[in-house]
Amino acid sequence: QQQVKQSPQSLIVQKGGISIINCAYENTAFDYFPWYQQFPGKGPALLIAIRPDVSEKKEGRFTISFNKSAKQFSLHIMDSQPGDSATYFCAASVGSGNTGKLIFGQGTTLQVKP
Amino acid sequence: NAGVTQTPKFRVLKTGQSMTLLCAQDMNHEYMYWYRQDPGMGLRLIHYSVGEGTTAKGEVPDGYNVSRLKKQNFLLGLESAAPSQTSVYFCASKDSNQPQHFGDGTRLSIL
């Protein structure tokens, strides 16, 4: 049972463009939604995270938009750069202060063309 | 400060062999996790630990065992390796209300 569904599987964007990755979840008990960035040969690293009490969070060129009623959240990368080329994972968890177990989406491979 | 260190980085096994993957963290974190990453499936939780001496099953625990005898170490064991266990294995650790920190993975091939 895939509780977090991520799309698209792959994405190609021109330098300077906007990259958008979408995730949908099923469990309404989820209360923490992080995005992880992974470069080849490395482990995932936290990029940005949001809790359901806000609809948007922005950190530099990265923005999470959250729609609680639709049970969807998305990552927007503004002014995409070749250095942003990586695999991105959305995730969700219940009670990050407890066991902190994360349920990951399937991943999106982003390629930013110069 | 090395963070989360996984050993070995690469390993090739034959079907039926056993091995242990080691995860060590130097951040004094309470929680530790083992995931496997397969193409198109994201990361799936195998086992996790909320403190020294405790372990619990995740999404895909079958065929794996774990131990957390010391707070800084979390071991993942394969008793009888199968080709379906060919994957990249990641360890992570965290403290309460903090994000998970991941190691750089162990690439395991089972022939």
Side-chain angles (χ1 to χ4, degrees), chain A residues 8 11-22 61-63 65 74-81 84 110-113:
Chain A
L11 182 61
I12 299 175
V13 173
Q14 293 292 326
K15 179 182 176 181
I18 302 173
S19 304
I20 301 174
I21 305 171
N22 301 299
R61 295 184 293 109
F62 301 91
T63 300
S65 296
S74 60
L75 176 68
H76 296 234
I77 306 175
M78 311 300 289
D79 187 26
S80 298
Q81 299 296 313
D84 297 329
L110 171 65
Q111 181 183 359
V112 181
K113 290 192 170 183

Side-chain angles (χ1 to χ4, degrees), chain B residues 41-62:
Chain B
M41 302 189 74
L43 287 88
R44 292 180 293 168
L45 183 65
I46 304 171
H47 286 280
Y48 66 100
S49 169
V50 299
E52 181 179 319
T54 71
T55 63
K57 294 180 179 180
E59 297 175 74
V60 289
D62 294 343

Side-chain angles (χ1 to χ4, degrees), chain A residues 16-89:
Chain A
I18 302 173
S19 304
I20 301 174
I21 305 171
N22 301 299
C23 283
Y25 63 96
E26 300 170 3
N27 187 348
T28 55
F30 287 147
D31 62 359
Y32 176 67
F33 301 90
W35 284 90
Y36 280 81
Q37 179 187 55
Q38 183 182 31
F39 293 105
K42 297 294 185 181
L46 180 69
L47 186 63
I48 186 172
I50 197 168
R51 296 191 183 276
D53 53 344
V54 297
S55 61
E56 186 176 282
K57 183 175 182 179
K58 183 177 181 179
E59 290 185 2
R61 295 184 293 109
F62 301 91
T63 300
I64 299 178
S65 296
F66 186 82
N67 186 329
K68 188 174 182 178
S69 60
K71 294 187 287 184
Q72 295 176 346
F73 58 110
S74 60
L75 176 68
H76 296 234
I77 306 175
M78 311 300 289
D79 187 26
S80 298
Q81 299 296 313
D84 297 329
S85 297
T87 300
Y88 293 82
F89 293 97

Side-chain angles (χ1 to χ4, degrees), chain B residues 10 12 15 20 27 30 39 49 60 65 84-85 88 94 101 103 108:
Chain B
F10 304 92
V12 178
T15 297
T20 300
M27 298 172 283
E30 287 292 334
S49 169
V60 289
N65 57 77
S84 61
Q85 295 177 305
V88 182
K94 72 181 286 290
H101 296 262
L108 182 61

